Amino acid sequence: MTGAAGPVAIPPILQPHVAALRGAAHREPLGLYLHVPFCKDRCTYCSFVTTRDVQLQSAVVARLVAEIRVWGEALGRPAVDTLYLGGGTPSLLRAEELAALTAALREAFDLGPLVEATLEANPGTVDLAWLEGARALGWDRVSVGTQTLDDELLARLGRIHGAAQALDALELCRRAGFQRRSGDLMVGIPGQDLDRVLGDARTLVGTGLEHLSIYLLDLDKACPLKAEVEAGRLALPSEDEVADVFEALQVELPRLGLLPYEISNYGRPGAESRHNQRYWQLRPYLGLGVSAASQLGTWRWTETSVLPAWLEGRGETELTELDAAESLAEIPLLGLRMHAGVDWEGLRAEGRRRNLQPLVDSWDEQLRVFGAQGLVTFEGPRVRLTDRGRLLSNAVFQIFV
Amino acid sequence: MTDPQLIRNFSIVAHIDHGKSTLADRLLELTKTVAHRDMQAQILDDMDLERERGITIKAHAVTCMYTAQDGKTYTLNLIDTPGHVDFTYEVSRSLAACEGAILVVDSTQGVEAQTLANTYLALENGLEVFPVLNKADLPSSDPARVLEQIDTVIGLVDTEHHVNISAKTGLNCEQVLEHIVKYIPAPVGDASAPLQALIFDSYYDPYRGIVNLIRVMNGTVRQGDQIRFMSNLSEYRVDEIGVFDPKMSKRPEMSVGEVGYLVASIKQLADVKVGDTITHAVTHNTKPATEMLKGFKEVQPVVFAGIFPTSSDDFENLRNAMEKLRLNDSSFTYEPETSTALGFGFRCGFLGLLHMEIVQERLEREFDLDLITTAPSVRYHVFLTDGDSVEVDNPSKLPNLQRIARIEEPIIEATILTRTDFVGGLIKLCEERRGIQQKLEYVSSDRVMLVYELPLNEVVMDFYDKLKSLSKGYASFDYHMKHYVESDLVKMDILVNGEAVDALSILVHRAKSVTLGHALCSKMKEVIPQQMFDVAIQAAIGAKIIARTNVKARRKDVTAKCYGGDISRKKKLLNKQKEGKKRMKAIGSVEIPQEAFLAILKVDS
């Protein structure tokens, strides 16, 4: 077993900016994301950084704890209002490991304004005692990776659980005291009977969960499922079928009480994920752990995605500083993902303030064309995507890159 | 000055892959022009494109010194030539500078159509030709059969003095050198007569300006001389003369029979015309020749296409690139053209489809341009009802139907040499392409020569690739223009969302128009990506729609999951999508990719 090998410190590339980062971290409360890179088994569609080597688990936790401390100190114990423990499979953490991480967070950061603390759970890894423990530590929202309620497809996806187990897990979470529960559904799995997706959605909403994410299977990165599809052993559903289901869900979920608030997220009013919304609102977040991404002020960085390198503290951190134009462009690029859209008049004013009037004018011109095509709509000072526009949103977003 | 008796100027005539460049390599090695350790395969093919495609596009000249068995040291000038039908003009340029040629034939294959054509060309130019049968090291080599073919189909070549060699192993290559000295005549000329030097090639060198490749016929040229280009009387001072050995090596003077380069700080690209004669200007000790050299037949382009910059900002760059390329490739013509669909570009003339491809590739590579090429067309003679006639090489410029009395199209005579087992398929192909058989002859027991009259507009549409695939590569093809005949041709327009796209119009035979219209529409459907709205593609003759298809609107282009860690990657993906779009041309609001403009070449008709 490896100990926490290398020294934990602010990556050299960030050190010159620590003062500025600290300033940014105190302008408003942060979101904090922790990445737990363990899985019992790798899903066939997954391209995230995960490992099955549980031997590394205590070293990873030790290093995460150390990172939490170092960053808390460097940023001057800033306020944090949302926590998100993602992965990987955070529910694989032992109870005492979760307790250690939580304690470190409380110590290094000011969790006074905390309004949401989410952890992700795999239905194949949870038990009541563990969930109760997590709840007692202050975690109040759980996101359960349900994916589909079709056992054959779950097996095809390499999931370690069946549909019944997923429903059981949601029930266990409720019994453990998690009022805030989210599930997810994947559309476009090879062999998926697309009519059944609507049935799955109804079943999941029927368990009383407050939030549902709808993902489209995306095989743009290398993964076993992609290889199967490319070899012709599995066929993806047609674009038309997938679009039909995505559109049907846009109608059905609101009928069931879950309103869309982002391209792939639905929730009961007030149950939107506060943490995830910050990504689209360009509000600051600090991500810790292998491959975790952060944004503070005009800086955005990602820790190494090579686990051994991360463990030994010798991985490369990728840093970019967003210039005035790029950060302005990200406001609509990410903001339009949300149903509320973007305050376009506000953006125009911000453009003038940054001396970027011509850039905003060119966006405006192109958005009007998309408006004529029925992809976006201008309502008062705001602009937002239409239902059809959401399905074709990449075409709209292209104007902002 | 070298005694002309000790100079031999020669070319190598061969079909692609028959070993011309490898033999040239061996000759350079044997004469120690290039040390073995510096040898890189196919040293003469120094254009990247040539090495990649394994063909020679441009003529090259290299000077070697060879001490023959008679004890004398000879200067051998090898003037390399291309083997493809499109580059016949380059061959004739090279041949004009030579007294002899080596006919290289692969003894495992046999005589091919281009070998035939180029050998005739050499014989017509009065060159001495002897055969070299290559690949003698291979078990399937059959020199006797190949010699029989040479006798049957060419007849005039001195097969008695042939050499069986292996250019690959070097077998008998020394004997080729001896044959060059023995059977190729020494140049004849008068060193004291007024200067006459033939420009047989030229190219642009970023450091030296225009480099002329010359062959001195009469007189002597020295560094510092004041010279004159006889076709336009422009005059320059000679900065440097020399030979390629194979690097550029300066010489103080060049005289009768010598081959090399001449650099003269020429600024005006237009002043240099390949085929022109260089003579002296009038000075206190020089006077110009009174007559120009015969030069060589100027070739006329037979295939025409529009070349447009993908981005309209590149128009001036494209013009500059064309000017430079044209200097090196006088057979290629261009004039400005405006297309409603593609904006400003050029209508270009080429010697054939390969030439067109190569020009486009050279423009893109050597000048870093993104280009759109339209479907190739031939030059039609259009006779009008008022008795006038016009030449039309751009279908979109065809006069109004009411004004046309009749249209004549160019017909070629094509020679195809192939193995007997492929004859059936090739005859079928020629018939489909409106061909008329002129001859079918067995040149040896397993080899057939087909001669067809074919409309050139059928040949420019992917005929060559079809021929190659039908014959698994065992057919060679050569052609020459024969005449124009009246034909029932119609203009087929392609409409995208109801708008005719001028750059997509083609002239087709009426009998084939409907089939072709359907095939073209479905090919367009394959290459045009889905857009935000349905795109209707129609083929029309006049006002009549003869085929139609629809590219259905795109319904899904969405990144469903986008959280903190995904943002950078998603931006990269969006950027990639956007770059892909930039390479397309917007016709109205429809984005059309480059390959759509050449879709006609890819249809099965």
Side-chain angles (χ1 to χ4, degrees), chain B residues 23-74:
Chain B
L23 174 61
D25 287 355
R26 287 298 89 73
L27 300 184
L28 297 189
E29 228 176 81
L30 283 170
T31 54
K32 310 214 167 34
T33 312
V34 180
H36 186 72
R37 66 188 147 78
D38 293 334
M39 203 65 205
Q40 47 175 333
Q42 309 198 348
I43 194 149
L44 287 181
D45 294 341
D46 59 7
M47 209 188 284
D48 283 349
L49 259 180
E50 294 183 326
R51 273 173 213 257
E52 275 167 35
R53 292 187 177 226
I55 56 172
T56 304
I57 300 166
K58 292 293 304 169
H60 300 263
V62 61
T63 300
C64 334
M65 305 306 290
Y66 172 64
T67 305
Q69 283 164 7
D70 61 14
K72 293 179 197 155
T73 299
Y74 291 84

Side-chain angles (χ1 to χ4, degrees), chain A residues 264 280 330 337 388 391 401, chain B residues 532 557 559-560 562 571 578:
Chain A
S264 37
W280 311 313
E330 286 197 353
R337 298 188 65 86
R388 179 159 170 262
L391 263 172
V401 296
Chain B
M532 292 296 135
D557 179 15
T559 302
C562 185
K571 280 173 82 169
K578 196 174 173 175

Side-chain angles (χ1 to χ4, degrees), chain A residues 215-216 220 239-240 244 247 264-265 279-280 326 330 337 388 390-391 393-395 398 401, chain B residues 530 532 552 554-564 567 569-571 573-574 577-578 581:
Chain A
Y215 298 130
L216 298 177
D220 64 316
E239 180 179 302
D240 267 345
D244 284 345
E247 281 174 4
S264 37
N265 287 290
Y279 298 125
W280 311 313
E326 201 178 356
E330 286 197 353
R337 298 188 65 86
R388 179 159 170 262
R390 261 181 288 285
L391 263 172
S393 46
N394 283 345
Q398 270 168 39
V401 296
Chain B
Q530 288 182 292
M532 292 296 135
K552 282 189 60 194
R554 187 156 195 193
R555 289 197 54 203
K556 177 177 81 77
D557 179 15
V558 57
T559 302
K561 211 173 187 172
C562 185
Y563 303 115
I567 295 172
R569 193 165 65 88
K570 300 296 178 194
K571 280 173 82 169
L573 285 177
L574 286 170
Q577 272 188 324
K578 196 174 173 175
K581 244 188 214 173

Side-chain angles (χ1 to χ4, degrees), chain A residues 206-263:
Chain A
T207 67
L209 48 70
E210 61 164 27
H211 187 277
L212 196 60
S213 300
I214 306 295
Y215 298 130
L216 298 177
L217 179 66
D218 175 7
L219 295 179
D220 64 316
K221 266 190 166 181
C223 59
L225 196 59
K226 183 177 181 165
E228 290 285 293
V229 169
E230 279 172 359
R233 285 188 289 273
L234 289 175
L236 293 169
S238 75
E239 180 179 302
D240 267 345
E241 287 176 287
V242 172
D244 284 345
V245 175
F246 205 82
E247 281 174 4
L249 286 166
Q250 284 186 338
V251 176
E252 182 64 10
L253 288 169
R255 205 178 282 158
L256 298 170
L258 267 59
L259 306 183
Y261 68 98
E262 192 259 355
I263 288 177

Side-chain angles (χ1 to χ4, degrees), chain B residues 198-470:
Chain B
L198 176 74
I199 307 176
F200 64 89
D201 201 359
S202 65
Y203 63 91
Y204 183 81
D205 180 299
Y207 301 104
R208 293 164 182 260
I210 295 168
V211 179
N212 298 289
L213 272 63
I214 60 162
R215 152 76 197 264
V216 180
M217 295 299 184
N218 289 300
T220 303
V221 59
R222 296 178 181 82
Q223 188 179 342
D225 281 358
Q226 201 63 27
I227 53 157
R228 170 186 291 181
F229 289 92
M230 291 187 77
S231 67
N232 52 33
L233 304 180
S234 60
E235 295 186 359
Y236 292 96
R237 185 179 165 278
V238 178
D239 290 339
E240 187 180 320
I241 47 176
V243 300
F244 295 94
D245 65 359
K247 301 278 166 259
M248 288 169 104
S249 294
K250 248 196 240 187
R251 294 282 186 275
E253 58 170 40
M254 282 170 64
S255 191
V256 174
E258 290 189 287
V259 172
Y261 65 88
L262 180 150
V263 180
S265 315
I266 301 159
K267 299 283 177 292
Q268 288 292 323
L269 300 189
D271 284 351
V272 177
K273 210 169 124 245
V274 170
D276 198 359
T277 304
I278 292 178
T279 190
H280 277 121
V282 182
T283 65
H284 67 282
N285 60 357
T286 60
K287 61 172 187 180
T290 47
E291 274 178 50
M292 285 180 68
L293 295 166
K294 189 165 70 83
F296 27 83
K297 198 168 65 182
E298 219 172 294
V299 280
Q300 295 300 324
V302 292
V303 176
F304 301 83
I307 293 187
F308 294 84
T310 311
S311 151
S312 52
D313 302 343
D314 273 341
F315 178 74
E316 277 309 316
N317 295 336
L318 178 59
R319 182 199 293 281
N320 290 337
M322 285 192 166
E323 195 174 279
K324 291 211 173 95
L325 195 67
R326 155 102 184 139
L327 172 75
N328 186 233
D329 183 350
S330 57
S331 56
F332 146 72
T333 62
Y334 63 98
E335 56 186 51
E337 178 191 356
T338 314
S339 150
T340 329
L342 298 176
F344 293 107
F346 295 94
R347 190 74 189 169
C348 303
F350 310 94
L351 302 171
L353 272 192
L354 181 69
H355 187 214
M356 166 171 140
E357 254 179 69
I358 283 171
V359 167
Q360 171 167 13
E361 247 184 281
R362 287 187 67 185
L363 287 169
E364 291 192 330
R365 277 195 204 196
E366 295 170 26
F367 303 94
D368 194 26
L369 294 163
D370 248 338
L371 303 173
I372 289 177
T373 307
T374 64
S377 165
V378 301
R379 180 170 277 164
Y380 300 94
H381 292 168
V382 179
F383 296 88
L384 304 175
T385 45
D386 62 8
D388 256 3
S389 71
V390 284
E391 294 198 340
V392 174
D393 58 43
N394 184 348
S396 68
K397 301 280 189 299
L398 192 72
N400 209 306
L401 276 182
Q402 284 76 39
R403 291 183 54 213
I404 298 176
R406 63 192 162 89
I407 303 177
E408 289 186 354
E409 67 173 333
I411 304 292
I412 59 161
E413 184 171 277
T415 304
I416 299 168
L417 274 149
T418 188
R419 265 171 35 189
T420 41
D421 40 339
F422 298 117
V423 169
L426 294 180
I427 288 180
K428 189 160 164 278
L429 173 68
C430 291
E431 310 276 308
E432 279 167 8
R433 300 303 182 99
R434 303 189 278 134
I436 300 168
Q437 197 181 88
Q438 308 290 303
K439 201 194 264 183
L440 190 162
E441 187 183 317
Y442 282 77
V443 296
S444 63
S445 59
D446 61 341
R447 234 171 146 64
V448 174
M449 181 165 76
L450 287 172
V451 179
Y452 265 85
E453 267 188 14
L454 279 162
L456 184 59
N457 98 342
E458 297 280 350
V459 174
V460 300
M461 296 299 179
D462 211 28
F463 179 83
Y464 193 63
D465 283 348
K466 290 260 156 54
L467 176 102
K468 283 284 167 196
S469 72
L470 277 173

